[in-house]
Amino acid sequence: MDKKDAAVVEEADEKSPILGKGKDFLNSRAFGLILITTSAISYGLSASLVSLESDIATPLLLAVRFMGTFGFNAIACVIMGVDLSVEKGNRQLVLIRSVCGFASFVCGTYAFQNMPVGEATVIISMAPVFVAIFSMCLLGVRARPCQIVMIILSLVGVVLIMDPTTWDTSESLSIVAVFTAVGQAFFKSLSYISIKKSNNRVYFMTMIFWYSLSAVSACILFIGILYPILSATGSSTAWLWTNCTTSQILILITISFLGFLAQLTLTKAAQLINTTTISLIRNSDILVTMIFQICFESIWPDWMQWIGMVLMIVCTVTILLTKEEPGKEEEEK
């Protein structure tokens, strides 16, 4: 990695009145493991709360969530004196991160609101599978036979989670929700790759700032255009806007803060530990959401869905732990 690019992050940390202290620990692998664990727990709790608030319109939920992430991050950037400028050569990575991150959250929010949180989380945990595929296609990393087998088996796991025996009954999972959950995994994997490629070239809080700002702008534009049109034509706006109660507002604020915390810790952890470790620990949010689902929603997966969950987890862990062949970029170096 270019020394000049690496110096950008190092200089920003040194100038920060917060990150400048305890520099050795804040740049250690141990701190990175703490960050990614915090990210997994925060995201798991956030996803669980989203699943409970299915009555809130998805566009409004997304807008508030991104506004919270943007607001908390902007305050932190001001306090820490973060430089928000991005060099011309790195703007494409920031754009990819913003678009894929926004699409990932849209798909994930819809999935969590329209299917049990445990099943949604496990399907979304296919992200490392897509990472392996994109690494082969985009980064020139050669696939091992074991990886190909695990990718196929993980897709079988998705089918089992959907529980084919209930497809013709009212208890079946929403097909649209399942596809949006898979879409969340797809876009999240692209987001991971963009974050990793931008390491030490774009400061992690700068990346979050532009990502959340673009997402907030998209949500406000979407609601701002459609709401007056729907109101003028007499169409229902219930799917676009919800008049929230006080308790729902407090939950939305909590979701926003947890989302910001998950993004902050994930992006910074990407600079300290490798992608394999990040993805592996990040998927531990399955345990958080499954415990939440059983304790607060009294939803127990059936035997077929348990098999699908275990199969997907085993496949994902196997792919993550399988040593990859060097990519074209690494061979050139």
Side-chain angles (χ1 to χ4, degrees), residues 205-247:
M205 295 193 72
T206 302
M207 175 76 78
I208 296 174
F209 176 85
W210 291 111
Y211 155 62
S212 58
L213 177 60
S214 60
V216 168
S217 302
C219 288
I220 294 177
L221 185 63
F222 181 77
I223 296 176
I225 292 176
L226 285 184
Y227 190 84
I229 295 176
L230 294 175
S231 299
T233 57
S235 302
S236 174
T237 59
W239 65 273
L240 189 65
W241 185 270
T242 303
N243 292 322
C244 299
T245 63
T246 302
S247 61

Side-chain angles (χ1 to χ4, degrees), residues 122-136 147 151 154 185-186 188-189 192 275-276 278-283 312 315-320 324:
V122 175
I123 294 177
I124 289 172
S125 296
M126 286 179 62
V129 178
F130 286 113
V131 168
I133 295 175
F134 291 140
S135 295
M136 303 173 202
Q147 290 177 312
I151 290 173
S154 65
F186 176 84
K188 184 166 71 171
S189 64
Y192 278 175
T275 308
T276 297
I278 289 175
S279 301
L280 182 59
I281 300 179
R282 181 64 176 72
N283 276 351
M312 280 201 62
C315 291
T316 300
V317 172
T318 302
I319 290 175
L320 290 171
E324 295 181 342

Side-chain angles (χ1 to χ4, degrees), residues 95-304:
L95 177 62
I96 294 174
R97 166 70 177 107
S98 300
V99 172
C100 291
F102 176 69
S104 175
F105 264 100
V106 171
C107 292
T109 301
Y110 182 88
F112 281 121
Q113 285 190 310
N114 292 276
M115 64 187 296
V117 65
E119 285 86 336
T121 300
V122 175
I123 294 177
I124 289 172
S125 296
M126 286 179 62
V129 178
F130 286 113
V131 168
I133 295 175
F134 291 140
S135 295
M136 303 173 202
C137 301
L138 303 178
L139 303 179
V141 178
R142 292 185 290 270
R144 292 172 176 265
C146 177
Q147 290 177 312
I148 297 176
V149 172
M150 291 301 104
I151 290 173
I152 296 175
L153 290 179
S154 65
L155 297 178
V156 174
V158 174
V159 175
L160 292 177
I161 291 172
M162 293 173 64
D163 195 354
T165 61
T166 63
W167 283 2
D168 294 329
T169 71
S170 59
E171 297 179 357
S172 62
L173 295 177
S174 167
I175 299 299
V176 175
V178 171
F179 274 107
T180 55
V182 175
Q184 209 266 11
F186 176 84
F187 288 114
K188 184 166 71 171
S189 64
L190 287 177
S191 181
Y192 278 175
I193 290 179
S194 65
I195 291 176
K196 195 62 181 175
K197 288 183 70 66
S198 67
N199 278 355
N200 296 330
R201 285 193 281 173
V202 181
Y203 191 54
F204 74 103
M205 295 193 72
T206 302
M207 175 76 78
I208 296 174
F209 176 85
W210 291 111
Y211 155 62
S212 58
L213 177 60
S214 60
V216 168
S217 302
C219 288
I220 294 177
L221 185 63
F222 181 77
I223 296 176
I225 292 176
L226 285 184
Y227 190 84
I229 295 176
L230 294 175
S231 299
T233 57
S235 302
S236 174
T237 59
W239 65 273
L240 189 65
W241 185 270
T242 303
N243 292 322
C244 299
T245 63
T246 302
S247 61
Q248 287 178 321
I249 292 176
L250 293 176
I251 291 177
L252 285 175
I253 294 175
T254 303
I255 290 174
S256 298
F257 177 75
L258 289 173
F260 161 67
L261 185 60
Q263 287 293 326
L264 181 70
T265 50
L266 169 66
T267 309
K268 179 58 180 178
Q271 298 179 344
L272 304 178
I273 53 181
N274 59 54
T275 308
T276 297
T277 304
I278 289 175
S279 301
L280 182 59
I281 300 179
R282 181 64 176 72
N283 276 351
S284 62
D285 63 359
I286 295 176
L287 299 177
V288 178
T289 53
M290 287 299 296
I291 293 173
F292 191 95
Q293 174 178 305
I294 293 173
C295 295
F296 296 96
E297 299 183 46
S298 299
I299 300 177
W300 290 81
D302 59 29
W303 66 271
M304 185 174 292

Side-chain angles (χ1 to χ4, degrees), residues 29-64:
R29 185 175 184 274
F31 185 58
L33 293 175
I34 294 174
L35 289 175
I36 195 59
T37 301
T38 302
S39 178
I41 295 174
S42 300
Y43 186 80
L45 291 174
S46 176
S48 299
L49 291 176
V50 168
S51 70
L52 290 180
E53 296 302 323
S54 57
D55 294 335
I56 298 179
T58 299
L60 176 62
L61 179 60
L62 285 169
V64 174

